[in-house]
Amino acid sequence: MAVSTIDPNGLNVGQFGNRNMVLNGSMAVAQRGTSAITSGTAYPVDRFFLTNGTAGTFSVQYSATSPENLGQSISFTVTGADASPDPTDFSSIRYKVEHNDMRHLYWGYSTASTVTLSFYVRSSVTGTHGGAIRNDSVNRAYPFSYTISSADTWERKEITISGETSGSWGSGANTGLEINWCMGAGSSRLGTSGSWNTGNNVGATGQVNLYATSGATFYITGVQLEVGDTATPFEHISVGDQLQKCMRYYYQIGDGT
């Protein structure tokens, strides 16, 4: 029996169909290929990309390492350390939700809906890790933190984020919100975890800097963003359906086209 909690905007919270606002959260679709990428704006799988400034060097790619209920993930490895990133520098795995797919959240209005972000993660570096949700104008951000307790072990994380009643959240097919998982960042790109602010943040103050350790690894998969204050089990969608949805944003015909 489906959960039928109603949020302030009349949305059914926790129903088990089409609840995940993240496309390809299982990392199953990788139209650009599965080889390692070491520079530029890197797309290891469709819809997810890594942006890196001058904070060390990296390798990121599609990986078959995954929890038992999933078959693949994004793998990130530090290949060149940087223990002290510049204040404005950052490196993050990012996902952009189209405004059309999040407008039902009413963000920017008094009735903004709470959301819950969940994902599976593992890293060779334990401790407090961080990320942030922000708008495309990069003037509203919600840094979040989570703890990786055991090295090289899959753990599921659940983060509840209050609806944002201020700011601009895009329009039409433009970016509505952006999710960041921060690999390392300078001080001006980090903010206090657990509340909204007006900064351009991609991570949380006090989080680990993966770039401080050459060879450090980070894996992520099973990403889900849904309405409500409770994480539901990951919504599995067929690879064919995921591919069709990803082709709205990127469609490769033949080799390299």
Side-chain angles (χ1 to χ4, degrees):
M1 180 176 181
V3 177
S4 59
T5 304
I6 306 297
D7 85 335
N9 296 307
L11 299 173
N12 285 320
V13 178
Q15 288 187 333
F16 282 82
N18 297 313
R19 67 190 185 280
N20 191 1
M21 285 174 271
V22 173
L23 304 181
N24 201 32
S26 64
M27 315 301 176
V29 179
Q31 292 186 79
R32 296 168 177 82
T34 58
S35 299
I37 307 167
T38 59
S39 63
T41 300
Y43 279 85
V45 301
D46 280 42
R47 306 296 300 129
F48 289 82
F49 62 103
L50 183 133
T51 298
N52 188 67
T54 59
T57 56
F58 69 90
S59 175
V60 66
Q61 68 182 113
Y62 168 99
S63 172
T65 301
S66 69
E68 291 181 355
N69 63 325
L70 292 156
Q72 51 283 314
S73 66
I74 291 174
S75 167
F76 169 89
T77 303
V78 175
T79 57
D82 183 356
S84 300
D86 294 338
T88 59
D89 204 4
F90 73 92
S91 177
S92 68
I93 295 173
R94 305 161 77 183
Y95 181 93
K96 293 187 176 185
V97 178
E98 182 179 327
H99 172 77
N100 287 326
D101 290 335
M102 58 81 65
R103 65 189 305 166
H104 62 287
L105 300 180
Y106 285 85
W107 283 15
Y109 298 92
S110 60
T111 55
S113 295
T114 293
V115 298
T116 297
L117 174 68
S118 57
F119 51 92
Y120 291 88
V121 65
R122 66 178 280 177
S123 177
S124 61
V125 179
T126 59
T128 301
H129 289 243
I133 285 182
R134 64 180 183 176
N135 64 357
D136 201 39
S137 300
V138 296
N139 57 16
R140 303 301 301 175
Y142 188 103
F144 59 81
S145 60
Y146 57 95
T147 300
I148 293 182
S149 302
S150 301
D152 302 318
T153 302
W154 284 106
E155 302 173 7
R156 191 179 192 227
K157 305 304 174 184
E158 302 173 0
I159 299 158
T160 298
I161 298 162
S162 59
E164 174 57 308
T165 59
S166 303
S168 173
W169 296 92
S171 62
N174 296 314
T175 300
L177 65 86
E178 179 184 275
I179 310 169
N180 287 267
W181 291 267
C182 184
M183 305 295 101
S187 57
S188 71
R189 293 290 182 259
L190 303 175
T192 301
S193 175
S195 61
W196 288 99
N197 66 52
T198 58
N200 179 5
N201 300 147
V202 298
T205 302
Q207 72 162 76
V208 301
N209 170 26
L210 285 168
Y211 281 94
T213 306
S214 182
T217 59
F218 181 92
Y219 296 82
I220 188 168
T221 189
V223 178
Q224 184 154 287
L225 182 69
E226 58 192 309
V227 178
D229 60 6
T230 303
T232 61
F234 180 72
E235 182 179 10
H236 290 275
I237 298 174
S238 73
V239 175
D241 287 346
Q242 290 280 39
L243 176 59
Q244 288 299 315
K245 291 178 179 181
C246 288
M247 284 180 176
R248 173 172 170 79
Y249 305 95
Y250 178 85
Y251 184 20
Q252 182 160 299
I253 306 171
D255 293 330
T257 302

